[in-house]
Amino acid sequence: MDVPDRVPKERYFDPDFFQMEAELLWPRVWQMACRLEEIPEPYDFVEYELLDQSVIVVRGAPPGDGGDMGVRAFQNACRHRGVRVVEGRGTCERGFVCPFHGWCYGPDGTNSRIPRRKSFAAHNLQPDDINLVPVRCEVWGGCAWINLDDDAPPLRECIEPAASTLDAWMVESLRAEWWLACRLPVNWKLAVEAFVESYHVVQAHPQLVIPTRYGMRDNAPFDPRAFIDADIQYLRAMSEGMAGMVHANDVRVAESLRDMELPADPQLAMATWNRTLNDAVTGWHRDRGAKMPSLNELDAQGINLEFFQLFPHYFVLPMYSSASSYRFRPLGPEETLMEIWSLTRYPEGEEPLTPPQPEAWESDDPRWPPIPAQDFSNLPRQQRGLHAKGFEYMRLSSELEGHISNFERTIDGFLAGLPHDKLLPAVQSVNVYPFDRPILDIGL
Ligand code: FES
Ligand SMILES: [Fe+2]
């Protein structure tokens, strides 16, 4: 990008640009490959696909069977003639058997059988050459992550500073309550960028604009009752709008506090309400035996934030006890698979079963909750609008939409083939609370 607050339109549909991303971006970044609920038991595996790459993520043998239940990943290609060894997800207690000629691999990727082995020349059976090709895999935040680049920095460095904040918020103890997927007729970056600024909220999500939330309507004097009602209305609008994010449990906790007395001073009243609600939500979850951080301790550290992007394609959006989470995968220059998880906390031992892998719904499917439905209604129109002859570039607000520029210029750094030590500060500049971010010097 030549001008940081102008994004040329071609990068959202040009097949050559898309191909450069396939070759220079995706194979070099950490990708959230699955939630760990998908592979809870020994030998459970799941296939993770992005464009033409497919990776098997598998949980190893239990200690009783000589294993460590560790999560490993392999390229999903038989070492004989390249057939994808697995599809979807399942359990591989006896390992993987290639469906074509029956080559066998253990759960650790080791080749364990080759039918009619003696018919192959020795140079084609070198031990290291016939195991599944390992892929770097690390676990963080309740998810398994993969990276196809042996030179990339460790996962942790590539997801800071979001990782430390989300660790303090105990993101790893969340479980999926539901999981949905949308096929969006737009470029994957366009989809990402619909969720990283709050500038669109007033126009696109009017139900979230609640005038008396801060007691400011018509310069009226501060009314603590109206303030509480407005805050509860906001929490309910978020909760119903996302079918989660602010979990219905937390809305009920807020409603139980509706009649509390607040000081007359507005600042003091808001602080008192927030502190009381934080404590009540924290206590409610701890009392039922769920792992839950102290929201007021997070507030005191200034890290009780609501939205994180983990470059390039994973998001966590915590609110009170729970969160929504997004993942975006390109299917083509103008087609994206967006997944949404609703995550919450459960008493230990009462976590729900693994959610089924979702069928992708169309973006205008009437089953979408109201807030994603509003976002999805704009995205296809935007993708079509970009093709207008007279439209050359997006003009970004340098104060409100700087994150989009920081994100796009970080992608440019990958496409320029820069080394990882140059890219890391840029990646970390994206792994933050994205709303209302300025355009930064990201060091590229
Ligand atoms: S391709 Fe897998 S056994 Fe032949
Ligand atoms: Fe939105």
Side-chain angles (χ1 to χ4, degrees):
M1 259 163 51
D2 296 335
V3 184
D5 59 359
R6 291 182 173 179
V7 194
K9 66 173 182 177
E10 288 76 16
R11 56 202 292 129
Y12 298 102
F13 53 77
D14 177 36
D16 294 337
F17 194 93
F18 186 78
Q19 191 54 35
M20 278 172 62
E21 291 176 342
E23 285 166 19
L24 294 164
L25 172 72
W26 293 109
R28 299 180 70 201
V29 291
W30 284 100
Q31 300 176 36
M32 194 286 250
C34 70
R35 288 200 52 83
L36 295 176
E37 294 101 313
E38 290 190 75
I39 48 170
E41 303 293 338
Y43 310 117
D44 285 349
F45 70 86
V46 62
E47 177 194 13
Y48 170 71
E49 259 187 306
L50 190 130
L51 298 176
D52 62 355
Q53 298 300 304
S54 170
V55 172
I56 309 169
V57 181
V58 57
R59 189 177 286 281
D65 211 357
D68 56 2
M69 298 248 316
V71 180
R72 293 180 182 78
F74 306 97
Q75 291 186 17
N76 188 11
C78 177
R79 296 307 297 272
H80 176 218
R81 278 166 60 189
V83 167
R84 286 192 177 181
V85 176
V86 301
E87 284 179 345
R89 75 182 185 203
T91 301
C92 67
E93 186 134 5
R94 292 194 201 92
F96 305 104
V97 181
C98 178
F100 198 178
H101 311 92
W103 284 36
C104 298
Y105 304 90
D108 62 355
T110 309
N111 188 303
S112 55
R113 180 166 178 266
I114 296 176
R116 303 187 61 181
R117 185 178 191 109
K118 289 189 183 133
S119 69
F120 289 85
H123 72 266
N124 265 337
L125 294 180
Q126 294 302 307
D128 286 349
D129 270 358
I130 55 173
N131 301 330
L132 293 178
V133 176
V135 170
R136 288 177 72 186
C137 180
E138 294 191 37
V139 166
W140 175 83
C143 303
W145 301 69
I146 62 101
N147 195 320
L148 296 168
D149 184 354
D150 289 338
D151 295 327
L155 170 67
R156 183 84 198 186
E157 288 178 37
C158 297
I159 56 174
E160 288 290 13
S164 288
T165 304
L166 290 168
D167 275 342
W169 186 69
M170 299 184 179
V171 68
E172 75 289 345
S173 50
L174 298 172
R175 292 292 177 275
E177 188 165 34
W178 54 255
W179 177 15
L180 298 173
C182 182
R183 190 180 293 273
L184 284 163
V186 309
N187 182 268
W188 73 277
K189 300 185 297 302
L190 205 72
V192 163
E193 290 161 12
F195 297 91
V196 297
E197 40 86 1
S198 56
Y199 183 36
H200 74 287
V201 170
V202 171
Q203 184 66 33
H205 307 300
Q207 77 277 24
L208 298 179
V209 182
I210 296 168
T212 57
R213 191 172 178 219
Y214 301 106
M216 296 305 178
R217 178 181 273 166
D218 300 326
N219 293 325
F222 180 73
D223 174 354
R225 287 264 83 75
F227 164 71
I228 292 179
D229 286 346
D231 207 49
I232 291 174
Q233 189 189 336
Y234 174 76
L235 297 177
R236 200 183 299 119
M238 283 301 299
S239 184
E240 289 168 1
M242 292 294 293
M245 190 160 168
V246 179
H247 197 279
N249 288 331
D250 297 352
V251 177
R252 276 194 294 275
V253 171
E255 278 167 348
S256 75
L257 302 173
R258 188 188 287 276
D259 295 328
M260 72 175 284
E261 290 303 319
L262 288 181
D265 175 73
Q267 299 304 325
L268 205 56
M270 288 183 218
T272 306
W273 166 254
N274 288 335
R275 198 167 344 100
T276 308
L277 178 55
N278 281 344
D279 272 340
V281 169
T282 302
W284 190 89
H285 289 274
R286 287 181 176 175
D287 286 350
R288 73 198 283 246
K291 286 204 179 110
M292 175 76 202
S294 161
L295 294 174
N296 278 323
E297 275 173 29
L298 299 182
D299 261 356
Q301 296 169 53
I303 55 173
N304 195 8
L305 299 172
E306 293 167 3
F307 213 110
F308 295 92
Q309 177 171 6
L310 288 84
F311 184 86
H313 77 336
Y314 184 63
F315 287 77
V316 184
L317 295 62
M319 280 194 87
Y320 296 92
S321 69
S322 303
S324 294
S325 182
Y326 305 153
R327 178 172 66 181
F328 299 84
R329 280 185 281 176
L331 300 174
E334 298 185 75
E335 191 168 29
T336 295
L337 182 69
M338 175 183 183
E339 291 154 283
I340 308 178
W341 289 264
S342 193
L343 307 173
T344 191
R345 298 176 190 279
Y346 294 89
E348 272 182 85
E350 293 178 25
E351 294 89 350
L353 294 173
T354 311
Q357 290 187 329
E359 289 288 319
W361 296 349
E362 297 303 318
S363 57
D364 58 357
D365 191 294
R367 289 171 289 183
W368 286 112
I371 291 177
Q374 289 164 329
D375 293 313
F376 294 165
S377 71
N378 284 327
L379 275 165
R381 292 170 66 153
Q382 185 184 15
Q383 184 74 34
R384 287 197 299 272
L386 291 178
H387 287 275
K389 297 273 183 233
F391 184 87
E392 293 172 39
Y393 52 82
M394 299 188 190
R395 61 197 72 233
L396 302 178
S397 157
S398 48
E399 287 176 22
L400 302 177
E401 299 171 306
H403 186 87
I404 292 173
S405 170
N406 303 335
F407 172 60
E408 291 285 356
R409 285 178 296 131
T410 300
I411 291 170
D412 281 345
F414 278 88
L415 302 193
L418 297 180
H420 283 290
D421 60 337
K422 273 297 258 179
L423 293 167
L424 190 59
V427 166
Q428 292 185 345
S429 81
V430 175
N431 295 334
V432 291
Y433 179 75
F435 289 172
D436 303 345
R437 296 276 295 171
I439 290 178
L440 299 174
D441 176 359
I442 56 173
L444 301 182

